[in-house]
């Protein structure tokens, strides 16, 4: 196994980053273990932030916001800091990737090639976005000029999941601070490691202390305290649908603005007229990259009946050839699941599949690598879209296959889901592609391509896959207050009362 290249030593206890310093409570009562999913061994300790620690972080964010040196800084000054953050992330990319892999089990090639690059890109994107976006001016009325300004909202509470910690958390952090907000970030308690160097990077790039604060701990303790804090103005959450409901309710109670990016059970439709070579490649990538633990995974593979057998032969052969192993090794394509609980959950779905009469075409059991939370890449042929393996998000290397007769049926099965995050369509027909774009009830439709994220465009889900969007203008909408300013254009007589 390649040795991790860790310039950042993992401290004995990982606390909170408040106002530019690491702080940990004196009491060890709420310490939590940080586990290595590859070995199942403990690799660190998290000092959980309680409500007081969360309040201290929110207070630091509020003070910095009120000081105005970031919230009212010229756009070019903010842009310069964001670009320096990007540069420092690239300089420390290997260390960030190693920590991401150590804590999540994501194969190192994917951490290097996808996650860290995307995280650095998030800062670059918002640096460019704020320097190029302009506000509107309405001059149609002959008496008035009316300007629209976008001002930062205040303090943002940002809650991120464990499956792509750096990429997803930095999308929120970069968006929040680019528009002048301060923030408090709460990553998943399972994956605190890459945020150790990230906080240093923000500091070294010249971001004023208190603009970004970080609290670590469990959702129902630390996350809940953050969302409920009265001084948090806006909440951005990525995570599971059940948690999203709680967050939405709590934010609604405090009349806070909120966006939730939640789960998915995305259809990957392969028509008989598709380029099957590309569709096979994409089905493997969409189902199994990131160890299958991604919200936008193509987990319902819908195959047109006339090509189903041929496609499945090729797909299954490729899935069986996936290299399951230690994520630090560059040859590994599938690493361990995040936790013992997740391994149990995914194993449980293999049991459910068997009980419901689905046919396990490959996999279906934990993979024995002498420890850790490994699960075999799994494909099941479902009997109908009503089966739980077609309806519920499994969040592991687990693809359910269904067949369809014609495109009407494919669209109907794809839309028959409580989720609506993304959909994939493989077809040689422009007419079918356009129908898919019209009729699929999902936030993103990928036609003849997998997993492309355009940061300028909105990203988010229909139905129970979330409320709201991020990306470009949509992030600006979330993280700013729009203000209308009207100015008379000439000295006309104003309306008067009691004249
Ligand atoms: P969870 O919903 O369990 O947790 C997400 C985050 O919310 C974690 O930081 C968690 O803390 C925190 N949290 C949990 N309960 C509460 C609460 N009551 N109040 C405040 N915060 C809370 O999701 P997972 O971490 O298990 O992530 C996997 C899920 O994320 C999947 O369903 C996946 O589909 C979804 N996801 C969605 C994406 C999208 O863009 N739509 C992208 C990636 C993932 P902790 O873990 O520390 O307890």
């Amino acid at each position: 196994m390649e040795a991790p290249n860790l310039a950042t030593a993992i401290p004995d206890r990982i606390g909170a980053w408040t106002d530019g310093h690491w702080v940990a409570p004196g009491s060890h009562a709420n310490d939590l273990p940080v586990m290595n999913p590859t070995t199942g061994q403990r690799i660190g300790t998290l000092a959980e932030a309680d409500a007081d620690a969360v309040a201290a972080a929110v207070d630091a964010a509020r003070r910095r916001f009120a000081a105005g040196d970031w919230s009212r800084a010229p756009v070019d000054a903010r842009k310069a800091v964001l670009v320096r953050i990007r540069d420092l992330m690239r300089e420390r990319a290997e260390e960030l990737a190693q920590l991401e892999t150590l804590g999540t089990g994501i194969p190192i090639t994917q951490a290097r090639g996808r996650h860290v690059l995307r995280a650095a890109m998030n800062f670059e994107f918002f640096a460019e976005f704020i320097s190029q976006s302009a506000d509107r001016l309405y001059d149609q009325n002959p008496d008035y000029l009316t300007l629209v300004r976008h001002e930062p909202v205040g303090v943002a509470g940002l809650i991120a999941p464990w499956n792509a910690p750096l990429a997803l958390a930095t999308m929120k952090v970069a968006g929040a601070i680019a528009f002048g907000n301060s923030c408090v970030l709460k990553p998943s308690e399972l994956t605190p490691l890459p945020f150790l160097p990230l906080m240093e990077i923000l500091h070294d790039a010249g971001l004023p202390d208190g603009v970004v604060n970080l609290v670590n701990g469990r959702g129902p303790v630390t996350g809940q305290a953050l969302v409920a804090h009265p001084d948090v103005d806006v909440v951005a959450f990525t995570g599971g649908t059940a948690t999203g409901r709680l967050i939405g309710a709590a934010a609604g109670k405090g009349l806070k603005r909120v966006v939730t990016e939640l789960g998915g059970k995305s259809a990957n439709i392969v028509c008989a007229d598709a380029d099957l070579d590309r569709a096979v490649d994409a089905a493997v990538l969409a189902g199994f990259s990131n160890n299958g633990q991604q919200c936008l995974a193509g987990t319902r593979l819908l195959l047109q009946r006339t090509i189903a057998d041929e496609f499945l032969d090729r797909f299954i052969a490729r899935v069986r050839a996936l290299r399951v192993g230690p994520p630090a090794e560059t040859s590994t394509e599938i690493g361990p699941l995040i936790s013992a609980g997740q391994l149990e959950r995914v194993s449980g779905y293999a049991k459910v599949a068997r009980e419901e009469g689905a046919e396990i075409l490959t996999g279906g059991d934990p993979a024995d690598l002498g420890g850790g939370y490994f699960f075999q890449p799994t494909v099941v042929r479902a009997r109908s879209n009503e089966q739980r393996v077609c309806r519920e998000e499994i969040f592991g290397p687990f693809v359910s296959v269904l067949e369809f007769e014609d495109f009407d049926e494919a669209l109907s099965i794809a839309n028959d889901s409580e989720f609506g995050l993304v959909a994939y369509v493989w077809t040689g027909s422009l007419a079918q592609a356009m129908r898919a774009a019209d009729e699929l009830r999902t936030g993103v439709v990928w036609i003849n391509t997998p997993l492309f994220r355009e940061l300028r465009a909105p990203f988010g889900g229909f139905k129970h896959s979330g409320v709201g969007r991020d990306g470009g203008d949509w992030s600006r909408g979330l993280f700013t207050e729009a203000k209308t300013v009207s100015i008379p254009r000439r000295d006309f007589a104003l309306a008067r009362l009691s004249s």
Side-chain angles (χ1 to χ4, degrees):
M1 197 188 299
E2 291 173 24
N5 170 16
L6 300 181
T8 312
I10 299 173
D12 288 345
R13 287 172 84 217
I14 302 170
W17 175 262
T18 303
D19 217 1
H21 304 284
W22 289 108
V23 287
S27 158
H28 290 241
N30 292 330
D31 281 1
L32 304 165
V34 180
M35 307 299 283
N36 179 347
T38 305
T39 60
Q41 306 292 311
R42 184 176 183 138
I43 44 172
T45 299
L46 203 64
E48 182 168 59
D50 60 11
D52 289 343
V54 170
V58 173
D59 185 51
R62 175 59 62 189
R63 277 187 282 109
R64 181 52 70 187
F65 183 76
D69 53 348
W70 182 256
S71 56
R72 287 196 288 272
V75 162
D76 284 347
R78 292 208 298 265
K79 177 182 176 185
V81 172
L82 294 173
V83 169
R84 276 201 296 279
I85 295 170
R86 186 239 8 226
D87 291 344
L88 291 176
M89 289 186 78
R90 286 185 180 164
E91 274 174 31
R92 296 179 68 173
E94 183 57 20
E95 179 191 358
L96 289 164
Q98 293 284 356
L99 286 169
E100 187 86 328
T101 287
L102 183 64
T104 60
I106 294 167
I108 187 68
T109 49
Q110 295 172 32
R112 282 181 188 138
R114 202 169 134 199
H115 292 251
V116 175
L117 294 183
R118 164 68 197 281
M121 176 60 80
N122 289 336
F123 288 97
E124 175 178 306
F125 172 75
F126 282 108
E128 295 298 332
F129 186 87
I130 55 171
S131 78
Q132 295 298 325
S133 61
D135 271 320
R136 287 192 189 178
L137 179 151
Y138 296 94
D139 63 357
Q140 291 90 340
N141 187 305
D143 292 337
Y144 286 96
L145 272 185
T146 294
L147 322 174
V148 179
R149 295 161 48 89
H150 281 87
E151 300 181 357
V153 178
V155 175
L158 310 175
I159 301 184
W162 46 258
N163 65 313
L166 265 181
L168 295 174
T170 54
M171 184 68 186
K172 298 182 192 310
V173 170
I177 68 175
F179 297 106
N181 299 281
S182 299
C183 66
V184 178
L185 168 67
K186 194 208 87 67
S188 166
E189 102 259 7
L190 302 176
T191 53
L193 300 183
F195 300 100
L196 295 165
L198 184 68
M199 293 303 116
E200 285 176 19
I201 286 170
L202 299 178
H203 180 78
D204 294 348
L207 188 71
D209 291 343
V211 175
V212 175
N213 307 275
L214 172 131
V215 288
N216 277 306
R218 289 166 295 178
V221 178
T222 311
Q224 199 166 308
L226 181 59
V227 177
H229 195 291
D231 229 5
V232 168
D233 304 294
V234 49
V235 175
F237 169 79
T238 299
T241 293
T243 317
R245 282 184 226 281
L246 296 174
I247 303 269
K253 207 167 162 200
L255 287 181
K256 297 170 203 278
R257 194 180 284 206
V258 61
V259 63
T260 54
E261 296 183 8
L262 310 176
K265 191 74 191 177
S266 299
N268 182 3
I269 301 172
V270 184
C271 300
D273 62 1
D275 178 335
L276 295 189
D277 292 338
R278 289 168 77 85
V280 168
D281 282 346
V284 177
L285 190 77
F288 297 99
S289 60
N290 222 55
N291 303 335
Q293 297 171 138
Q294 51 186 346
C295 54
L296 30 71
T299 48
R300 281 187 301 152
L301 179 58
L302 311 189
L303 303 176
Q304 192 150 19
R305 192 152 289 134
T306 49
I307 50 109
D309 288 344
E310 178 203 342
F311 190 94
L312 264 184
D313 283 349
R314 295 171 63 184
F315 177 64
I316 297 290
R318 289 282 300 280
V319 173
R320 288 200 177 120
L322 286 169
R323 292 184 295 268
V324 181
E329 290 182 5
T330 50
S331 59
T332 292
E333 293 170 304
I334 304 276
L337 301 180
I338 186 69
S339 63
Q342 192 66 9
L343 179 60
E344 197 179 320
R345 177 183 157 86
V346 176
S347 304
Y349 276 101
K351 190 162 168 273
V352 165
R354 289 184 178 104
E355 284 166 4
E356 289 188 336
E359 184 188 353
I360 308 256
L361 300 175
T362 188
D365 291 300
D368 184 5
L369 273 82
Y373 314 130
F374 293 89
F375 195 79
Q376 298 168 348
T378 297
V379 181
V380 306
R381 190 201 294 265
R383 284 187 295 107
S384 92
N385 193 42
E386 297 307 312
Q387 290 192 260
R388 285 182 61 198
V389 290
C390 293
R391 302 212 81 81
E392 297 173 21
E393 185 178 49
I394 297 172
F395 226 58
F398 198 119
V399 169
S400 304
V401 181
L402 288 165
E403 293 182 16
F404 64 88
E405 198 62 46
D406 57 22
F407 203 55
D408 285 343
E409 193 188 5
L411 295 177
S412 153
I413 296 172
N415 281 335
D416 180 12
S417 172
E418 72 167 303
F419 298 107
L421 194 56
V422 306
Y424 308 70
V425 183
W426 296 85
T427 177
S429 152
L430 181 60
Q432 283 191 161
M434 296 315 295
R435 261 197 82 193
D438 281 347
E439 293 182 33
L440 286 168
R441 304 274 302 150
T442 57
V444 176
V445 177
W446 281 310
I447 294 169
N448 294 336
T449 191
L451 299 171
F452 170 65
R453 177 73 203 270
E454 167 57 83
L455 291 178
R456 299 170 191 85
F459 180 84
F462 282 37
K463 299 188 268 185
H464 291 178
S465 288
V467 176
R469 301 286 185 271
D470 71 11
D473 289 332
W474 291 266
S475 292
R476 184 168 81 152
L478 175 66
F479 289 122
T480 61
E481 293 281 9
K483 180 187 278 179
T484 298
V485 180
S486 292
I487 307 167
R489 299 170 86 158
R490 57 192 174 79
D491 241 356
F492 55 83
L494 297 176
R496 297 177 68 199
L497 290 182
S498 56
S499 54

